[in-house]
């Protein structure tokens, strides 16, 4: 039988509550409130491991001079003792609820809410939950492709802890690097199991080249590292007519690749001049 644990208390500034001296001012008005039972808690806080059931109580206070009908709802992990409650005038109703942490839930912080609705007004009370367990970072970069003037890719958090990734981008053409962007922190925070699709701008792409694109992603102070890439051919199809032109362009690309492999980096100025002659002959 799973243990039922009490929620921990989080203390902040005191709640404002209508006293008997101000009750008359609340008559005929919707001055009700919903908050955690106890002293001065603005939200519920809980800690537990997967499979744990936690419990606490919501307090609904009615300072008005009439009965207040309050409808209650919560998240998928929350079970309220009643979906609605009638609170007598100038008193309160306490509604117990439980939080069940599903088996297999990865460690990390979660947030839920309890919503109370009455007299055309809505109040929400946060439930902050910390799920315990081993914290194992893991990350993959997937589906790298070039779309228009951008590099598209996906990041997947396959570990049990939140990650803030850092990205490095490199693109190498036949004659050398075209992109070499240093590591920068991405403006995303990946919770466990989360997948996000992102793009990286690439203006000034070559018109005629064979390019290898590689993305390197790190996280957790460099302890997690993932790489993925793709190869893309840039061909000026607008200047090439028909299938024969495509064959010529393909042959020229192969010539470019062979030429680039034969040349070292200190020979590139001469290689570019000879390459122009070779391409001219390939296109004749």
């Amino acid at each position: 039988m799973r243990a039922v644990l009490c929620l921990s208390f989080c203390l902040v500034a005191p709640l404002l509550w209508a006293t008997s001296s101000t009750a008359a001012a609340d008559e005929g008005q919707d001055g009700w409130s919903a908050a955690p039972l106890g002293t001065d808690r603005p939200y519920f806080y809980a800690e537990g491991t997967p499979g744990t059931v936690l419990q606490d109580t919501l307090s609904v206070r009615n300072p008005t001079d009439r009965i207040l009908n309050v409808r209650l709802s919560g998240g998928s992990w929350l079970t309220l003792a009643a979906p609605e409650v009638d609170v007598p005038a100038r008193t309160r109703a306490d509604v117990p609820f439980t939080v069940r942490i599903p088996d297999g839930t990865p460690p990390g912080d979660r947030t839920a809410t309890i919503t109370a609705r009455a007299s055309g007004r809505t109040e929400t009370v946060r439930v902050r939950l910390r799920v315990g367990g081993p914290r194992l970072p893991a990350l993959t970069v997937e589906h790298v492709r070039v779309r228009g003037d951008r590099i598209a890719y996906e990041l997947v958090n396959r570990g049990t802890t939140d990650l803030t990734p850092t990205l490095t981008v490199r693109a190498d053409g036949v004659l050398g690097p075209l992109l070499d962007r240093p590591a920068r922190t991405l403006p995303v925070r990946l919770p466990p199991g989360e997948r996000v699709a992102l793009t990286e701008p690439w203006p000034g792409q070559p018109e005629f080249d064979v390019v290898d694109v590689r993305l390197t992603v790190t996280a957790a102070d460099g302890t997690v590292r993932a790489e993925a890439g793709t190869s893309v051919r840039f061909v000026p199809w607008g200047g090439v007519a028909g299938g024969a032109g495509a064959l010529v362009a393909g042959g020229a690309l192969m010539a470019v690749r062979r030429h680039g492999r034969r040349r070292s980096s200190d020979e590139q100025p001469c290689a570019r001049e000879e390459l122009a002659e070779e391409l001219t002959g390939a296109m004749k």
Side-chain angles (χ1 to χ4, degrees), residues 18 43-44 78 107 127 146 164 197 269 283:
Y43 57 82
F44 297 100
L78 279 65
V127 180
V146 176
T164 300
M283 298 294 286

Side-chain angles (χ1 to χ4, degrees), residues 73-98:
S73 60
S76 59
W77 292 9
L78 279 65
T79 302
L80 291 150
E84 63 179 292
V85 60
D86 289 329
V87 187
R90 308 185 194 284
T91 187
R92 79 180 192 210
D94 298 331
V95 183
F97 69 93
T98 59

Side-chain angles (χ1 to χ4, degrees), residues 126-254:
R126 288 180 299 162
V127 180
R128 300 181 61 179
L129 180 65
R130 174 159 294 178
V131 181
R135 304 178 70 85
L136 303 174
L139 181 69
T140 59
V141 53
E142 303 175 2
H143 303 145
V144 179
R145 56 206 179 277
V146 176
R147 297 190 314 196
D149 61 351
R150 305 189 75 84
I151 303 170
Y153 62 100
E154 295 181 7
L155 297 180
V156 186
N157 186 344
R158 301 193 178 278
T160 61
T161 183
D162 290 355
L163 296 176
T164 300
T166 297
L167 174 69
T168 302
V169 182
R170 185 175 177 89
D172 292 302
V174 171
L175 297 179
L178 302 173
L179 283 179
D180 190 7
R181 295 178 182 170
R184 66 180 179 87
T185 302
L186 296 175
V188 297
R189 185 175 180 225
L190 283 176
E194 185 81 6
R195 176 186 294 268
V196 61
L198 300 170
T199 61
E200 185 75 9
W202 186 7
Q205 294 173 342
E207 295 184 359
F208 191 57
D209 207 342
V210 179
V211 182
D212 292 323
V213 178
R214 179 148 296 273
L215 305 184
T216 302
V217 181
T218 60
D221 296 326
T223 60
V224 176
R225 180 185 177 92
E227 291 186 356
T230 188
S231 181
V232 59
R233 295 187 176 192
F234 295 95
V235 179
W237 297 109
V240 184
L247 292 175
V248 170
L253 278 172
M254 294 185 66

Side-chain angles (χ1 to χ4, degrees), residues 26-75:
D26 289 323
E27 290 184 6
Q29 299 183 16
D30 300 319
W32 63 273
S33 63
L37 179 64
T39 305
D40 308 334
R41 288 192 295 164
Y43 57 82
F44 297 100
Y45 178 79
E47 292 186 17
T49 56
T52 299
V53 178
L54 311 165
Q55 67 179 12
D56 207 324
T57 302
L58 177 74
S59 180
V60 181
R61 303 193 177 197
N62 176 18
T64 69
D65 60 351
R66 63 185 184 277
I67 295 177
L68 182 71
N69 178 261
V70 182
R71 289 169 292 154
L72 303 170
S73 60

